[in-house]
Amino acid sequence: LITIWDEIASLLDQRQRRSWYEDELRRSTQVYLEDPSQRIRRVPGAGGLRPRGLAVLRELVAWREERTKMLNRPPRWILRDDIITELAKRQPESMDDLRSTRGLGIDPKSNWSKEVLAAIRRGLDVPDSALPRPTGR
């Protein structure tokens, strides 16, 4: 990897693009450096959720991040933002409820579906005093 990096760095320098690379790297890794509770604010649709929905969203985003790291895949390949938001709104509590989620794309019998339901349950179990505040308030 070091040898490859040296070649890439040389090409970036020749083309005067290293600053572009560094900016993009900084932007793409910033999400992992910020407070996890703030990441949910950037999920499209989060602004319309009530505190309990935000707690569910937070748990789903945390689950997705763990999966992302484990599988080395982009977050949207694990579970798209629109589906996470829909799950946070609907808050399914059973496999049948989960199965009816349009576009979910995971087998209801898989471990993933069980993990998604567990994440939703964790969000539902958050004490009222620990619920996130709605965005923009």
Side-chain angles (χ1 to χ4, degrees):
L1 290 177
I2 293 172
T3 303
I4 293 171
W5 166 246
D6 289 341
E7 290 177 33
I8 291 171
S10 176
L11 288 171
L12 288 169
D13 290 340
Q14 287 172 17
R15 295 184 175 127
Q16 297 178 354
R17 300 291 190 256
R18 189 182 288 236
S19 66
W20 290 11
Y21 164 79
E22 290 170 352
D23 290 345
E24 184 63 24
L25 182 62
R26 197 173 12 266
R27 190 176 62 79
S28 66
T29 57
Q30 185 62 36
V31 69
Y32 298 106
L33 301 175
E34 68 187 7
D35 179 1
S37 66
Q38 295 303 312
R39 284 185 213 142
I40 63 171
R41 308 294 184 198
R42 290 187 288 107
V43 175
L49 294 173
R50 294 173 188 239
R52 183 67 54 197
L54 287 172
V56 171
L57 182 70
R58 181 176 57 199
E59 294 300 324
L60 288 167
V61 167
W63 172 82
R64 180 177 69 176
E65 286 179 12
E66 286 303 312
R67 278 285 173 181
T68 296
K69 291 174 189 172
M70 195 169 27
L71 299 173
N72 195 26
R73 296 280 186 246
R76 68 183 175 281
W77 287 19
I78 306 298
L79 202 56
R80 295 187 333 245
D81 286 343
D82 60 320
I83 294 173
I84 284 182
T85 304
E86 181 66 21
L87 291 170
K89 285 179 189 172
R90 291 185 52 242
Q91 302 168 5
E93 295 189 42
S94 71
M95 288 293 180
D96 287 336
D97 292 342
L98 192 62
R99 189 177 299 118
S100 69
T101 303
R102 186 176 175 182
L104 184 57
I106 58 176
D107 180 0
K109 295 179 182 135
S110 73
N111 282 339
W112 279 35
S113 59
K114 293 172 189 165
E115 292 170 10
V116 166
L117 285 174
I120 292 168
R121 172 57 39 210
R122 285 191 303 273
L124 293 173
D125 290 343
V126 170
D128 289 346
S129 61
L131 290 173
R133 290 186 172 163
T135 57
R137 294 184 190 152

